[in-house]
Amino acid sequence: MPDRVAGYLIHFDEDRRNYLLNGIRDPADGFSDALSSADWSVRQWEVCGLMFEPDAITHWALARKGHRVATGKVKVDFTEVTPTDIKIADVVQRIGEGVQRNIISSRSGSGGPVPGATWQSLKRALREIDPVSLEAVERLERLREQSRERITRPGTEVVAQERDATGVALDVFDQTGRLRKATLQGWTAPTGDNLTSFLDGLAGVRTIEDQLIARDAASFPQAEGRRTTLLGAVFSTGGRKLEVFNVNRSSVEHALGVDLLYYHEDFDAWTMVQYKSMEREDDDPERTAVYRPDARFDAELARMVGFRQAIADRWTPTDGVSAYRLHGDGFFFKFCSRIQLEVLSEALLPGMYLSREHIESVLADPASLGPRGGRQITFENCGRHLSNTLFADLVRDGWIGTRSVSSARVAQLVQEGLAGNRSIVIARARRSGQAANVEETITSLRL
């Protein structure tokens, strides 16, 4: 019985195609190409070495078969493309000429998948030639394996919400969506039985900006010896910086949900999103997703109301145009109709954003009562909602968010959220050209 397929080596040996794929655009953005259908038996991600030169592996990537595009051809999608420089002659010197028979020609379709034994020999050769390249291959292998399994470790739901909150912050910060795609799609679940933080699985963060902070803050008074864990990263694009932190009082498996706080320095605006999971009765995907408010929800909503009663949202024309808002309250909920944690996905969680005041209006309407008199929030009885895209656009352009709220007041929200055993995701978008200053953020928010 032949060894199972372990990977692919693909030589793009047509000059025009090579120019289009490697000359006009950056392969790191991902791309698609038409290849022989005989080489791709399943629609699963596989690890590939890409050769844009005849004598060298120039990139490593993950590839997956798509639909048929021509006779004997299928679309193959490439993602997580990582540059390297491995000379084929160096590989042959170590494992023999047989590996050359496995190199697939994009022109003729000759060659074939690399079997397991040959792939392991290739990896041993990489350890000698370029250990960094071997690390890239092994990371892609972890992504491949995790893409074929459902992640159900303790803390999965909270980390999925942290992932979404980070993705929303990246979309607000970067309108192109490229940062979100690169970040979310490149996440791998850390080894071990438990999950810790979404940022903990982002090896690619270091390539965006080489600054990763992991530290324990001092114990809170009256906290029974518990410590607050803080993990942060800095993202960069176009001369702008975004600081993102995951803050937890306890482990994610014991957290009761996630809050996102986004600070837009250009507009001096804070926006807070509290995540809530909707349910489908009997796990029936055809049934309407529903969230049923409980005593904890009432307490959290009352906390927001109390905050706003203490700090009224006021604006006059003399405050300036940057302080103008369509909605200056700053408090929102995201009701997620499905919670899942998956690798090799750039998608945000499906759901709806509702402002605090909108929620109060929904709950005051008799239509929010279910057949047994219980309160419920659904897509139908809310009437309207903000989508992921619209919410990010409104925050990015300063149409929503607080005004004239001090960091000390926001720190109060953070501490109350931690006391309520929630995981906090904090994102701070610096002004263009301004350097990141994580210590300033940590200090100002009393983290």
Side-chain angles (χ1 to χ4, degrees):
M1 177 179 293
D3 292 341
R4 75 174 187 87
V5 174
Y8 291 82
L9 296 174
I10 303 173
H11 179 204
F12 295 94
D13 54 353
E14 296 174 78
D15 291 340
R16 182 175 180 273
R17 170 186 284 173
N18 194 335
Y19 174 71
L20 289 172
L21 293 180
N22 196 33
I24 293 180
R25 60 177 299 171
D26 184 356
D29 293 334
F31 63 94
S32 299
D33 196 20
L35 296 174
S36 169
S37 59
D39 297 323
W40 302 87
S41 58
V42 293
R43 286 182 170 86
Q44 293 182 332
W45 291 106
E46 297 290 355
V47 183
C48 295
L50 309 183
M51 300 172 58
F52 288 110
E53 299 173 6
D55 58 352
I57 300 172
T58 59
H59 299 78
W60 297 108
L62 286 171
R64 181 172 62 180
K65 172 185 175 181
H67 57 272
R68 188 173 66 179
V69 294
T71 302
K73 296 278 188 177
V74 293
K75 176 186 176 185
V76 178
D77 297 317
F78 296 88
T79 190
E80 292 300 304
V81 184
T82 304
T84 189
D85 184 15
I86 304 298
K87 303 301 182 186
I88 294 298
D90 291 339
V91 175
V92 169
Q93 181 182 2
R94 288 166 173 82
I95 69 174
E97 296 181 354
V99 68
Q100 293 179 306
R101 293 194 296 269
N102 300 119
I103 297 175
I104 296 173
S105 164
S106 64
R107 181 199 301 256
S108 65
S110 62
V114 181
T118 304
W119 189 262
Q120 291 304 316
S121 297
L122 172 61
K123 289 174 62 177
R124 287 192 292 270
L126 291 179
R127 182 174 288 109
E128 298 179 11
I129 299 169
D130 183 1
V132 173
S133 192
L134 175 61
E135 289 179 5
V137 170
E138 291 180 336
R139 174 179 171 273
L140 293 176
E141 289 178 331
R142 289 195 299 273
L143 279 169
R144 177 190 64 193
E145 297 308 316
Q146 290 180 9
S147 72
R148 299 173 183 178
E149 64 183 39
R150 183 180 179 185
I151 300 174
T152 57
R153 304 182 201 174
T156 292
E157 182 170 324
V158 169
V159 173
Q161 292 177 2
E162 290 179 344
R163 173 190 182 278
D164 188 83
T166 302
V168 171
L170 292 170
D171 267 358
V172 174
F173 178 67
D174 172 36
Q175 189 172 9
T176 69
R178 291 178 181 173
L179 268 182
R180 169 172 59 86
K181 177 180 179 180
T183 302
L184 300 192
Q185 193 167 268
W187 180 83
T188 57
T191 57
D193 296 331
N194 298 321
L195 298 171
T196 53
S197 161
F198 174 70
L199 291 183
D200 198 30
L202 289 183
V205 167
R206 294 185 181 87
T207 67
I208 298 174
E209 178 157 320
D210 189 18
Q211 186 169 3
L212 185 69
I213 307 97
R215 51 177 279 184
D216 282 336
S219 297
F220 282 83
Q222 313 300 323
E224 299 178 346
R226 291 180 298 177
R227 296 175 66 84
T228 297
T229 300
L230 176 64
L231 184 70
V234 179
F235 299 83
S236 177
T237 185
R240 297 182 299 121
K241 301 293 189 293
L242 178 72
E243 304 165 16
V244 179
F245 304 89
N246 283 175
V247 191
N248 291 284
R249 175 73 62 87
S250 60
S251 62
V252 293
E253 61 190 278
H254 297 120
L256 301 176
V258 170
D259 292 341
L260 165 64
L261 284 86
Y262 189 99
Y263 182 51
H264 198 320
E265 281 198 348
D266 286 336
F267 296 99
D268 189 23
W270 283 97
T271 305
M272 190 185 93
V273 181
Q274 187 167 110
Y275 280 76
K276 296 296 180 184
S277 300
M278 306 177 81
E279 299 176 352
R280 297 182 187 273
E281 297 200 8
D282 302 323
D283 294 326
D284 184 351
E286 300 302 322
R287 296 288 295 272
T288 297
V290 60
Y291 176 79
R292 295 182 174 83
D294 55 15
R296 181 179 294 114
F297 175 87
D298 292 338
E300 292 165 343
L301 184 59
R303 177 165 62 94
M304 298 177 186
V305 173
F307 184 92
R308 266 303 167 209
Q309 289 175 342
I311 310 171
D313 173 43
R314 296 187 179 95
W315 177 83
T316 65
T318 58
D319 292 335
V321 294
S322 65
Y324 177 76
R325 307 279 187 269
L326 293 175
H327 184 270
D329 182 71
F331 291 102
F332 290 81
F333 290 85
K334 181 174 183 181
F335 295 91
C336 302
S337 57
R338 186 175 71 251
I339 300 289
Q340 60 188 24
L341 184 59
E342 55 187 348
V343 301
L344 292 173
S345 171
E346 62 185 84
L348 297 175
L349 293 175
M352 59 179 175
Y353 293 86
L354 300 176
S355 69
R356 172 185 65 86
E357 294 162 322
H358 191 167
I359 286 293
E360 291 179 319
S361 177
V362 170
L363 294 178
D365 191 326
S368 69
L369 300 178
R372 299 182 181 179
R375 298 174 300 167
Q376 57 184 20
I377 296 172
T378 66
F379 284 88
E380 290 75 18
N381 66 24
C382 288
R384 295 168 293 166
H385 66 269
L386 302 180
S387 65
N388 286 317
T389 301
L390 180 55
F391 180 80
D393 288 344
L394 292 173
V395 176
R396 182 187 310 113
D397 294 335
W399 292 114
I400 59 178
T402 65
R403 43 197 158 197
S404 302
V405 174
S406 67
S407 294
R409 290 292 190 176
V410 176
Q412 171 191 341
L413 289 175
V414 173
Q415 304 310 322
E416 290 175 352
L418 292 172
N421 211 17
R422 297 184 66 80
S423 172
I424 313 294
V425 176
I426 300 170
R428 180 175 187 167
R430 296 283 184 175
R431 290 186 175 90
S432 181
Q434 186 177 13
N437 190 337
V438 296
E439 291 299 333
E440 178 190 47
T441 304
I442 290 170
T443 301
S444 64
L445 295 180
R446 303 172 186 172
L447 301 178

